[in-house]
């Protein structure tokens, strides 16, 4: 199905030298098949392996590919902020740079854009240790409670946003809190959020550090700071009833 969307697709990458090329080539195959106007942005988040170098080679080889580098490493939140800032197309999609998602499934999100402003996928069969699943369940419940949302998997790195949202919000999180922050600020501004299930795969390369206790504690601490900040700074706007994509120049 060819999509009438012009779209930026980015991956946050920290030491993903083994998989970044295959992931980018896959993204090129999928997007060349479904879109007439897209860009792929590899966000090298201060990697200490060859991720940055490989990203530059891919950007030289393919006109649709851009490589941007954070120096030093800014953390997951910092990498996503960079991706959202760099994205130049009316629609912005991101997924992790570690191959734990299948980019072919991006097509499942598009039909929901007829009814919602944002589509946030959830992992159908999360391929992580039990402790991570329990932690994620509690985290999602807490964030939903605090921000009046009903999301199934806040941190699922498979989301599409209208780019204009990032002109309206100021992102502050450098940690794994970034997903909750963007969704909570969007909801507060009246954006509607649709959900759909996508598959999740075990990491085949590189090291997973999303679960280390320091990362988790920092996110919980920041969550309450964020809650206060959003209530103080972001004006509540009624949810815009689902509407066809705005004329943001034919998204
Ligand atoms: N953990 C971590 N991942 C980062 C960082 N910057 C970018 N990433 C990327 O963020 C994605 C998710 O990280 P990962 O450790 O796999 O988290 P998990 O899948 O939630 O356990 C991967 O593609 C990483 O390469 C960082 O500073 N720390
Ligand atoms: Mg991962």
């Amino acid at each position: 199905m060819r999509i009438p969307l012009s779209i930026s697709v980015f991956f946050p990458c920290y030491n993903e030298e083994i998989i970044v090329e295959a992931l980018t080539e896959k993204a090129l195959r999928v997007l060349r098949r479904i879109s007439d106007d897209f860009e792929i942005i590899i966000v090298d988040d201060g990697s200490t392996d060859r991720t940055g170098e490989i990203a530059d080679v891919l950007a030289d080889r393919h006109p649709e590919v851009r490589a941007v580098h954070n120096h030093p490493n800014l953390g997951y939140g910092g990498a996503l902020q960079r991706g959202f800032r760099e994205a130049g197309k009316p629609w912005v999609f991101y997924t992790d740079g570690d191959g734990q998602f299948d980019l072919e499934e991006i097509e499942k999100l598009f039909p929901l854009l007829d009814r919602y402003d944002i589509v946030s996928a959830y992992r159908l069969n999360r391929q992580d240790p039990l402790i991570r699943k329990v932690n994620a369940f509690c985290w999602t419940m807490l964030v939903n409670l605090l921000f009046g949302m009903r999301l199934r998997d806040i941190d699922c790195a498979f989301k599409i946003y209208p780019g204009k949202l990032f002109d309206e919000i100021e992102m502050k999180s450098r940690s794994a809190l970034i997903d909750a922050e963007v969704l909570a600020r969007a909801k507060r501004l009246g954006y509607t959020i649709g959900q759909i299930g996508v598959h999740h795969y075990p990491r085949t390369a590189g090291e997973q550090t999303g679960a280390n206790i320091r990362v988790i504690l920092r996110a919980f601490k920041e969550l309450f700071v964020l809650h206060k900040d959003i209530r103080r700074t972001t004006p509540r706007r009624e949810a815009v009833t689902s509407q066809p994509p705005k004329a943001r120049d034919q998204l």
Side-chain angles (χ1 to χ4, degrees), residues 16 96 98 100-101 128 132 200 203 208:
E16 305 289 3
D96 281 344
D98 58 6
Q100 290 200 264
F101 292 91
D128 284 320
R132 294 264 346 245
H200 189 235
R203 225 183 205 281
Q208 181 171 41

Side-chain angles (χ1 to χ4, degrees), residues 36-49:
D36 305 322
D37 179 20
F38 69 89
E39 64 175 347
I40 295 170
I41 307 167
I42 304 169
V43 179
D44 161 32
D45 187 28
S47 300
T48 54
D49 68 0

